[in-house]
Amino acid sequence: MQTKVSMQAEIAGISFDNLLLNAAGIRCSTVQDLNSILTSEAGGVVTKSATVEERAGNESPRMRALPLGSINSMGLPNHGFDYYMAYVLKAQSAGYNNVILSVAGLSPADDLLMLREIQQSGFDGLVELNLSCPNVKGKPQVGYDFAAVEQLLGEIFKFFDKRLGLKLPPYFDLTQFDEMAAIINQYPVTYVNSINSIGNGLVIDPVTETAVIKPKGGFGGLGGEYAKPTALANVRGFRQRLKPEIQMIGTGGIKSGMDVFEHVLCGADLVQIGTAFGSEGTPIFDRISQELQDIMIEKGYRRLADFRGKLKTL
Ligand code: SIN
């Protein structure tokens, strides 16, 4: 008889039967996409990051699957804030509290506008503020401007008292981890989600001597296996520096149960799957759950808490 293991996870009192979710951006733009994740083995669903107004995003081709992952410059195509707000409210009234509303303003003013609407709404679930989209032309990733993040968080927490997570870009120097964690630790942030794609990579087809995607002269965010070591370092680096009550979501390079296991070892409470979910669709949640359970059984772990954050170093 197989030993039973639990995939149960929790963020700020919201319980998830499974720690696996989609990453904002992949197959989560429409009500149909969102419902198919919600009714799959995934523990919950994250909406496509909403901008105030509907956006068509960048020109095609804007995403390319690669041997070790993907490059994309989607440019936040989405149906606009009202669409996703209506979705999460409907899901909430149907009893789903495992729906995360992701928002990505094109300016701090847009972020504040959407967060004010959320504050005034009946939505009581998790909100994820995306400070890290690398693909909007002419708009730098806010997460790399520490002073801007500090100012924005100061403004937000003057009025926002719901549960807010931050989706961050990858950082590469330990002083960046120190500085960003010191800023975030001043505020009642619920969780940090690391990482968004590794921004502004360039992939070339050497036969045609051409960049493989069209927007921004071929520059785009890298996901998949290319991103995993950077993602693990960011989850670990923030877990070591953030106040214990600020939880972590790990995103980046997950395509197997072992990848999830490693993210949890680094301190992830939940994980989100982007590139591999894009190519495999909702069956990935069942496959990876099975793989993770097999690993846990083999290692004698029954709950995620048995190994969460317990990475050893040499
Ligand atoms: C995009 O729409 O460009 C990708 C989403 C993101 O990186 O936040």
Side-chain angles (χ1 to χ4, degrees), residues 95-146:
Y96 292 100
N97 60 3
N98 51 351
V99 178
I100 300 181
L101 174 59
S102 172
V103 294
L106 299 180
S107 65
D110 282 1
D111 288 330
L112 293 168
L113 181 77
M114 290 188 282
L115 291 172
R116 278 207 176 86
E117 289 210 22
I118 296 167
Q119 177 65 32
Q120 283 157 16
S121 76
F123 182 59
D124 193 31
L126 297 173
V127 179
E128 185 166 295
L129 177 62
N130 181 350
L131 297 176
S132 49
C133 178
N135 306 324
V136 180
K137 293 175 194 171
K139 304 276 181 196
Q141 288 158 274
V142 181
Y144 287 134
D145 182 341
F146 297 112

Side-chain angles (χ1 to χ4, degrees), residues 23-26 48-49 55 57-58 62 72-78 102 104 130-136 141 167 196-197 221:
I26 322 284
K48 175 73 186 168
S49 298
R55 276 173 66 82
N58 295 339
R62 56 190 184 179
N72 90 83
S73 182
M74 301 299 289
L76 292 176
N78 76 93
S102 172
N130 181 350
L131 297 176
S132 49
C133 178
N135 306 324
V136 180
Q141 288 158 274
K167 175 90 174 270
N196 207 317
S197 58

Side-chain angles (χ1 to χ4, degrees), residues 2-299:
Q2 252 204 356
T3 324
K4 196 97 180 96
V5 297
S6 168
M7 301 280 100
Q8 187 81 29
E10 177 266 336
I11 296 258
I14 296 184
S15 155
F16 295 82
D17 289 343
N18 188 317
L19 80 162
L20 308 179
L21 277 66
N22 65 298
I26 322 284
R27 295 176 181 263
C28 57
S29 294
T30 65
V31 166
Q32 291 76 10
D33 291 337
L34 294 162
N35 282 342
S36 71
I37 298 169
L38 204 50
T39 53
S40 76
E41 198 60 31
V45 66
V46 189
T47 68
K48 175 73 186 168
S49 298
T51 51
V52 173
E53 303 295 342
E54 184 168 7
R55 276 173 66 82
N58 295 339
E59 65 276 24
S60 294
R62 56 190 184 179
M63 202 281 282
R64 172 70 81 89
L66 302 166
L68 298 178
S70 64
I71 184 167
N72 90 83
S73 182
M74 301 299 289
L76 292 176
N78 76 93
H79 292 285
F81 176 74
D82 290 348
Y83 181 94
Y84 300 104
M85 188 77 231
Y87 179 79
V88 299
L89 285 171
K90 196 165 171 201
Q92 180 175 276
S93 52
Y96 292 100
N97 60 3
N98 51 351
V99 178
I100 300 181
L101 174 59
S102 172
V103 294
L106 299 180
S107 65
D110 282 1
D111 288 330
L112 293 168
L113 181 77
M114 290 188 282
L115 291 172
R116 278 207 176 86
E117 289 210 22
I118 296 167
Q119 177 65 32
Q120 283 157 16
S121 76
F123 182 59
D124 193 31
L126 297 173
V127 179
E128 185 166 295
L129 177 62
N130 181 350
L131 297 176
S132 49
C133 178
N135 306 324
V136 180
K137 293 175 194 171
K139 304 276 181 196
Q141 288 158 274
V142 181
Y144 287 134
D145 182 341
F146 297 112
V149 173
E150 184 156 22
Q151 185 166 0
L152 182 60
L153 292 180
E155 290 297 318
I156 289 169
F157 287 110
K158 282 181 189 159
F159 65 88
F160 196 83
D161 65 6
K162 298 189 175 183
R163 290 169 279 204
L164 185 70
L166 304 177
K167 175 90 174 270
L168 296 181
Y171 298 101
F172 301 96
D173 193 282
L174 299 186
T175 58
Q176 295 176 312
F177 294 133
D178 291 342
E179 207 175 326
M180 186 50 72
I183 292 168
I184 294 170
N185 279 337
Q186 298 172 58
Y187 297 99
V189 170
T190 298
Y191 70 84
V192 162
N193 182 351
S194 290
I195 57 174
N196 207 317
S197 58
I198 302 178
N200 296 306
L202 181 61
V203 176
I204 295 168
D205 178 344
V207 177
T208 62
E209 305 175 10
T210 309
V212 300
I213 57 171
K214 184 165 181 182
K216 292 177 66 183
F219 284 66
L222 299 174
E225 287 182 56
Y226 302 109
K228 192 178 93 169
T230 301
L232 293 177
N234 275 258
V235 174
R236 171 82 167 162
F238 277 113
R239 186 61 287 156
Q240 290 174 313
R241 289 166 176 78
L242 292 172
K243 294 185 291 191
E245 62 268 32
I246 301 179
Q247 294 185 260
M248 286 295 314
I249 297 183
T251 305
I254 294 173
K255 66 172 183 24
S256 71
M258 192 57 87
D259 298 326
V260 179
F261 183 76
E262 292 175 12
H263 268 267
V264 177
L265 268 185
C266 289
D269 292 283
L270 292 179
V271 299
Q272 296 180 356
I273 308 176
T275 297
F277 169 53
S279 52
E280 218 173 308
T282 51
I284 196 171
F285 298 112
D286 190 34
R287 176 178 67 75
I288 292 187
S289 298
Q290 286 303 324
E291 291 174 6
L292 179 61
Q293 286 175 40
D294 290 346
I295 292 164
M296 288 171 65
I297 290 165
E298 168 107 22
K299 287 178 173 282

